Amino acid sequence: MAKVNIYLGREKKNGELGDWVTLDVSKPRVGVIVGKRGSGKTYSASVLIEECLDRNPRAAYVIIDIMGVYWSLKYPNKNVKELNTPGFKGLIEPKGYADKTRVLVVAGDVKKYQKGTYDGTLTITPNMVSFDVWLSVFNLAPDEPQAMLLKSLLDKFEDKTYSIQELIYALTEELETGRYSKQTIVSLRSKFEYAKSWGIFSKTGMTLRDLAIPGVATIIDVSESSKPVSALLVGLLAEKIYDARKELARIKSWAKVSGRSVSIEDKNIPQTWLIIEEAHNFLPSRERTKASTPLITYVKEGRHPGCGLLLVSQEPAALDTKVLKQIDFLLVHNLSHKQDVEAVKFIAPSPLPRDLDSILIKLGKGEALLSVTGSEVAKKVKIRPKHSIHIARADIAEDKDVVELGEQPFSIWNEYERLKREVVELKAKLIEYQKRAGSKSSLIEKYMNEINKLKHELEKKDQVISELNQRLAEKDSIIRDLESQIKALQPKKYAVSRLKQRLLNSIAGALRDTIINELNSDAKSVLSILGEHPRISLDDLQKSIPSKIKLLKALEKLNAKRFIRIETINNKDYIILNLDNLIRRLSVEPLSDEDIEYVIERIFGLGII
Ligand SMILES: Nc1ncnc2c1ncn2[C@@H]1O[C@H](COP(=O)(O)OP(=O)(O)OP(=O)(O)O)[C@@H](O)[C@H]1O
Ligand SMILES: [Mg+2]
């Protein structure tokens, strides 16, 4: 792999400045910067970061900033005297790294920071914290009952995203099961209550991908956070970066061996450098801290998968030097304490000058001895001036207003944070809309079912209607047929009625002849009266024929011929015309009352009688 050299400064030999001193960062390295207070450690670390940001943007840089000084990387260095340090005049231009650095502060501590000194807040989800890290956070041994309870609790939540409060609720519920003693539960619960008070946990926390961004230095300013929080963050970052890089390396090598292409989209964590100030707090020589277990793995095994580390400490003797036996480079600033010098000798990756003690004690500010693995004797280096402004711990401690920052640089991170917030809001809205659409769709489904049912019924009705229409059409044609038949029958109807009239006339004629031939004049007169009054009383008839004998004879004759009948009602005799039966008998065709009436009218109408 091609070298990626960063330029730390110039070699100082016999009081003269010589060649530029470089460090190859093509692969992530593990390095340590030590030196006593104010000797230039943070300055040198900042130069290394500037160089990396300029020359190795492939990697991500995550800084745990205990003192809260790295934000100054954003501002260009205005200290002309410093920029014109002999040996560097005209070579280092003032330049801020506002677009390449991003300052995050722990969400719970945000009020303690001045606005403008940070770009965003940092929270993590409790599920980012592994069982092992929780153990070290809570100082628990794995075989303690509390640890076992913790394990069963975390198993219960598995991969789910949860809040600390939910863990606390779950613990409270555990009180009822009786599986663990009340004391164990209450103790673990109060530990989580304490962790909650740090204000670093949230249900929607940042992921490693939010923190490890290629070409960007993510500065986690923990200067206002409590010690356990910084230790938790260091441990967590070491563990997560290592795990992610290891998984990526495994996937890549599998893909290489198997010849298959593998999607690494969400696992693509860049090579990452973890930069830790006051490192003796996290990797101390005598005890284990919340951070030490993951840090030790990170140091010992992280290089191959691409985990870089830069530890900065003023007390090398207080560092776990056994772990640091295999570092790649060591930058030693002024040191005088014997134990610290001994620690340096122990961890230096290359031979050191024989007169080390006196050299170290004489190093000026910004001067250091660089020992790199695989090289010959360590070199004395005059570290180059910074492009960006430097804020020293002393400046903060004395609250000195020595540096003029100038205008606040534009930061893309504000925009980034704003957009991220928008994305979160939009995602929430999307979920809400999806939910609403879901309920709508079930409603729509219901309506669709209803509509389909109605459609089906409609179809059935349509079918019935068309059947009825067909039958109607059939009836219509029958009616039309009948009408035409009726029309055809019309002339026959006239013929029939004419025939009938003739028949009736002949009946009337025949009857009239019989009446004329067989009756005397008195009988004819009686009949003639009956023609006008088909029912008449004997008394009234008497008025027409005064001779009683004649009248009785006539009636006798008429009765014998059944032309009349006599009825007695209320002792009064009535004579009733009785031609109906006679006429019926004379006809070969059945006659209606109307026909009979016609015949009678005809007999009397002719006035023959
Ligand atoms: N290479 C350098 N060129 C110019 N000035 C430097 C250089 N290195 C350090 N200084 C100056 O020395 C002072 C202390 O430097 P720095 O803050 O890096 O010290 P430190 O070792 O980190 O101290 P502490 O242990 O207190 O954190 C600062 O004022 C800084 O400007
Ligand atoms: Mg410092």
Side-chain angles (χ1 to χ4, degrees), residues 31 85 91 179 321 337 369 404 464 466 468 471 483 491 518:
T85 304
L91 297 177
R179 278 182 292 218
T321 45
H337 210 284
L369 206 62
E404 199 201 313
V464 172
S466 79
L468 287 175
R471 277 160 66 181
E483 274 174 356
E518 295 183 18

Side-chain angles (χ1 to χ4, degrees), residues 512-531:
R512 190 165 149 267
D513 287 348
T514 311
I515 293 166
I516 290 170
N517 294 337
E518 295 183 18
L519 298 181
N520 60 20
S521 61
D522 292 331
K524 282 181 196 165
S525 302
V526 171
L527 260 187
S528 184
I529 292 161
L530 281 170

Side-chain angles (χ1 to χ4, degrees), residues 38 40-43 67 69-70 277-278 312 390 392-393:
K41 300 180 296 295
T42 303
Y43 198 105
M67 290 309 300
V69 290
Y70 279 91
E277 281 266 355
E278 311 281 318
V312 181
H390 183 73
R393 182 204 301 259

Side-chain angles (χ1 to χ4, degrees), residues 338-584:
K338 201 168 175 303
Q339 277 174 316
D340 289 332
V341 178
E342 286 309 310
V344 162
K345 283 180 191 164
F346 188 71
I347 63 172
S350 74
L352 295 167
R354 241 176 278 139
D355 49 349
L356 180 72
D357 300 48
S358 67
I359 289 174
L360 290 183
I361 217 163
K362 278 187 228 154
L363 287 173
K365 266 185 190 169
E367 286 181 350
L369 206 62
L370 177 66
S371 162
V372 181
T373 183
S375 67
E376 291 173 8
V377 185
K379 285 173 190 168
K380 192 169 157 187
V381 189
K382 172 75 185 156
I383 303 294
R384 72 152 171 83
K386 275 176 68 187
H387 289 297
S388 61
I389 223 163
H390 183 73
I391 305 287
R393 182 204 301 259
D395 299 336
I396 294 174
E398 291 164 26
D399 207 11
K400 272 202 279 181
D401 203 8
V402 284
V403 274
E404 199 201 313
L405 294 173
E407 228 173 89
Q408 195 180 325
F410 170 77
S411 162
I412 54 161
W413 297 108
N414 290 332
E415 191 61 10
Y416 174 83
E417 291 294 329
R418 195 182 61 75
L419 289 174
K420 234 175 63 180
R421 273 198 303 277
E422 254 176 41
V423 167
V424 171
E425 280 165 22
L426 287 174
K427 270 187 188 164
K429 262 193 201 159
L430 186 70
I431 290 171
E432 174 69 15
Y433 285 143
Q434 274 172 344
K435 249 192 233 163
R436 272 200 234 163
S439 67
K440 287 259 160 69
S441 76
S442 71
L443 213 66
I444 287 170
E445 207 177 317
K446 205 175 119 195
Y447 287 143
M448 280 315 283
N449 281 344
E450 208 76 16
I451 287 170
N452 281 341
K453 234 194 265 169
L454 290 173
K455 250 190 187 169
H456 191 65
E457 270 173 39
L458 216 64
E459 269 167 25
K460 269 193 339 208
K461 296 244 157 98
D462 264 355
Q463 207 176 330
V464 172
I465 288 174
S466 79
E467 270 168 28
L468 287 175
N469 269 336
Q470 207 177 329
R471 277 160 66 181
L472 216 63
E474 279 166 16
K475 291 261 155 78
D476 262 358
S477 83
I478 290 172
I479 289 172
R480 268 197 304 278
D481 268 5
L482 287 173
E483 274 174 356
S484 66
Q485 280 177 32
I486 290 169
K487 231 185 228 167
L489 285 171
Q490 206 70 30
K492 283 184 189 166
K493 195 178 154 192
Y494 289 135
V496 167
S497 74
R498 270 201 308 274
L499 277 175
K500 194 162 189 181
Q501 206 170 2
R502 272 165 64 189
L503 171 76
L504 295 178
N505 286 346
S506 71
I507 291 171
L511 199 58
R512 190 165 149 267
D513 287 348
T514 311
I515 293 166
I516 290 170
N517 294 337
E518 295 183 18
L519 298 181
N520 60 20
S521 61
D522 292 331
K524 282 181 196 165
S525 302
V526 171
L527 260 187
S528 184
I529 292 161
L530 281 170
E532 277 173 50
H533 310 283
R535 178 194 166 98
I536 193 165
S537 68
L538 190 62
D539 296 344
D540 287 341
L541 202 59
Q542 185 89 49
K543 287 171 194 159
S544 307
I545 300 175
S547 163
K548 202 167 182 177
I549 298 167
K550 277 185 179 178
L551 178 61
L552 288 174
K553 269 192 177 165
L555 288 176
E556 202 178 321
K557 183 87 178 167
L558 286 169
N559 193 31
K561 290 272 176 195
R562 300 216 186 139
F563 287 174
I564 56 160
R565 68 190 151 84
I566 300 158
E567 271 178 31
T568 307
I569 302 163
N570 296 335
N571 294 325
K572 212 173 171 187
D573 292 327
Y574 285 90
I575 316 300
I576 296 158
L577 186 65
N578 191 33
L579 292 179
D580 303 24
N581 287 330
L582 200 62
I583 293 167
R584 272 199 188 95

Side-chain angles (χ1 to χ4, degrees), residues 146-356:
Q146 278 187 61
M148 288 177 211
L149 171 57
L150 176 66
K151 181 88 180 69
S152 74
L153 189 68
L154 297 182
D155 284 350
K156 205 152 93 185
F157 280 93
E158 274 187 302
D159 300 330
K160 272 179 253 159
T161 311
Y162 49 86
S163 65
I164 286 276
Q165 191 54 50
E166 280 165 311
L167 286 178
I168 293 170
Y169 285 146
L171 274 173
T172 311
E173 278 169 19
E174 194 63 52
L175 278 170
E176 281 159 29
T177 67
R179 278 182 292 218
Y180 295 88
S181 77
K182 190 178 171 194
Q183 200 195 342
T184 304
I185 297 167
V186 172
S187 302
L188 189 63
R189 195 174 62 180
S190 61
K191 286 187 174 76
F192 275 117
E193 300 270 11
Y194 176 50
K196 194 180 144 200
S197 74
W198 298 339
I200 192 165
F201 293 109
S202 82
K203 207 168 173 176
T204 52
M206 281 184 160
T207 61
L208 190 55
R209 275 172 76 84
D210 297 316
L211 300 172
I213 303 166
V216 173
T218 299
I219 300 160
I220 303 177
D221 185 337
V222 286
S223 58
E224 297 294 343
S225 300
S226 65
K227 263 195 170 181
V229 171
S230 2
L232 170 69
L233 278 175
V234 169
L236 207 60
L237 283 166
E239 186 187 68
K240 294 292 161 198
I241 296 168
Y242 173 69
D243 285 351
R245 287 296 305 180
K246 202 172 73 172
E247 190 183 359
L248 188 66
R250 195 166 41 75
I251 293 172
K252 278 185 176 170
S253 59
W254 182 82
K256 208 172 167 184
V257 173
S258 67
R260 294 195 193 171
S261 69
V262 183
S263 162
I264 48 168
E265 184 61 42
D266 57 329
K267 298 194 165 62
N268 202 5
I269 298 296
Q271 290 187 351
T272 305
W273 285 66
L274 194 53
I275 296 136
I276 304 171
E277 281 266 355
E278 311 281 318
H280 50 273
N281 286 323
F282 306 109
L283 200 58
S285 54
R286 296 218 182 87
E287 47 167 342
R288 283 283 156 99
T289 70
K290 302 173 197 354
S292 42
T293 310
L295 259 185
I296 289 166
T297 315
Y298 193 94
V299 174
K300 285 188 170 170
E301 293 166 43
R303 235 157 312 175
H304 171 64
C307 305
L309 182 68
L310 180 63
L311 300 174
V312 181
S313 172
Q314 53 189 291
E315 292 177 58
L319 276 170
D320 189 341
T321 45
K322 270 193 251 98
V323 175
L324 301 176
K325 197 74 187 84
Q326 294 152 356
I327 57 173
D328 298 309
F329 69 93
L330 171 69
L331 194 64
V332 191
H333 282 272
N334 189 307
L335 264 186
S336 50
H337 210 284
K338 201 168 175 303
Q339 277 174 316
D340 289 332
V341 178
E342 286 309 310
V344 162
K345 283 180 191 164
F346 188 71
I347 63 172
S350 74
L352 295 167
R354 241 176 278 139
D355 49 349
L356 180 72

